[in-house]
Amino acid sequence: MRGKADSDLVRRQNRHIVLEALRLHGPMPRVELGRITGLSPASITTIANQLIDDKAMRELNEAPDRSDPNRRGRPTVRVELNPDAALAIATKISIDGVDLALVNFAGKIIARKNTLIATYEVQPDAFGKALANIMRDFFDENSLKSGDVAHIGIAAQGVTHSQKGTIAWSPAFRATNIPVVEPVERETGVTCSIANDANMIAEGVMSADRYSYTGTAAVVFMGYGVGMGLVIDGKVYHGATGAAAEFGHMNHIPEGALCRCGRLGCLEAYASDYGILRFAKNLAEQTPPPSHAVPRHIMVDLENAARQGQANAVAAYQNAGRAIGFGLARMIALLNPDRIVLAGPGTRALDLIEPALRAAIDEGVVEELRRQVKIETVPIDTDMIIKGTIDATLRYLDLNIFASGPMRNLAEQKEPQQ
Ligand SMILES: [Zn+2]
């Protein structure tokens, strides 16, 4: 028994490595696949044949290159992920509503749909029903049946609970413990999973160099809120319930400014759009945050005022940089990361934030720990959440479906979870 279990595991791992290489590097000849994965030519031949039989991979039908007279004999055939192997849906739930993307197995977006919902006042059950209706309409509009979609991945703003399939708490909702996975699975008959949106940004940022990067990094989202995705030893770390790295709601100043979560002194209350704006307008720290995202043009005006030297605006960005910097100093002391990646629309104001941010890190953690940390920026918009969710959902398919066998295993796959 042991021997069979071991060889099954190796087979799954090798199939997964091959799928991941194709996902990351695109079409390539089998020889190249062997070079990148480190698998032997014999293994590559076996795995490629299996994956082609299972319709997860296909050979490209390319005309041989006749321009090079030195190339003789059989042309090199390239293999690629079969786009038709499966369909998946990536979903983003935020304070602006619900955003859907239908993608094929190769990651190409086939359809997009954006539905505005006033999420803040909606009741939990009503939201589940609304989400199920949005999904059903999306299925109908794209002539999809239950069996056509292999998995639905959802990213939500706030604290998500991956096992319960709920949004435990989110700045997008007044209510708490909102069921998301159950209503979607019931309506569509498709398996569904939920994760935090900042973790999905980390998935998106890290998927680009998954092969080369095996270290520890923090991806910080700055904008309507402040979030973090943690990458530990090359993998996004989700924690016990999927709520790890709730950076924005770590305490910055005890009994300090009022946060959107209702508590006092969270980092987000100083470093999010509403926190920066409240400070710049000289409003009391207890002034309640707005129930919607601050419009972009208001933040752009504030950035410009700060760049022209308007004192309150300058101080507001310094204050934000200090809050993020001290938070990062604690994180550096705990995890000894080698990269910090700043992301999200808030990075537009990085020139205003960064000096105070770096000064706070210098002040907050010993030099031996911070010396090797690189601070990088990815100037990204919120679509990075959808991109990261697509990446994570397709890797879910690679690992849970196609690494073990063809699509027909999907029904069996679901049973043990019940
Ligand atoms: Zn908070």
Side-chain angles (χ1 to χ4, degrees), residues 169 248-250 259-263 266-269 274:
W169 169 83
H249 303 282
M250 287 189 350
C259 181
R260 193 175 260 151
C261 74
R263 294 180 309 136
C266 294
L267 204 153
E268 176 177 304
Y274 72 81

Side-chain angles (χ1 to χ4, degrees), residues 97 110 128 144 149 155 169 181 184 218 224-225 231 279 330 335 342 377-378 416:
I110 298 164
L144 298 170
V149 177
W169 169 83
V181 167
V184 170
Y224 48 73
V231 179
F279 191 98
R330 292 185 181 116
L335 295 173
L342 304 174
T377 318
V378 222

Side-chain angles (χ1 to χ4, degrees), residues 15-16 18-20 22-23 47-60 79-86 104-107 394 397-399 401-408:
R15 285 170 64 111
H16 185 228
V18 167
L19 290 169
E20 196 170 47
L22 289 173
R23 197 162 289 297
I47 294 166
N49 287 345
Q50 285 173 359
L51 287 172
I52 289 170
D53 282 351
D54 293 346
K55 309 235 177 336
M57 190 201 269
R58 68 180 185 188
E59 290 186 334
L60 266 82
V79 290
E80 65 173 359
L81 294 172
N82 180 2
D84 304 326
N104 67 22
F105 191 58
L394 292 173
L397 300 190
D398 291 348
L399 192 60
I401 299 173
F402 290 98
S404 45
M407 254 301 261
R408 63 175 172 272

Side-chain angles (χ1 to χ4, degrees), residues 10 158 304 316 368:
V10 170
N304 291 335
E368 283 64 30

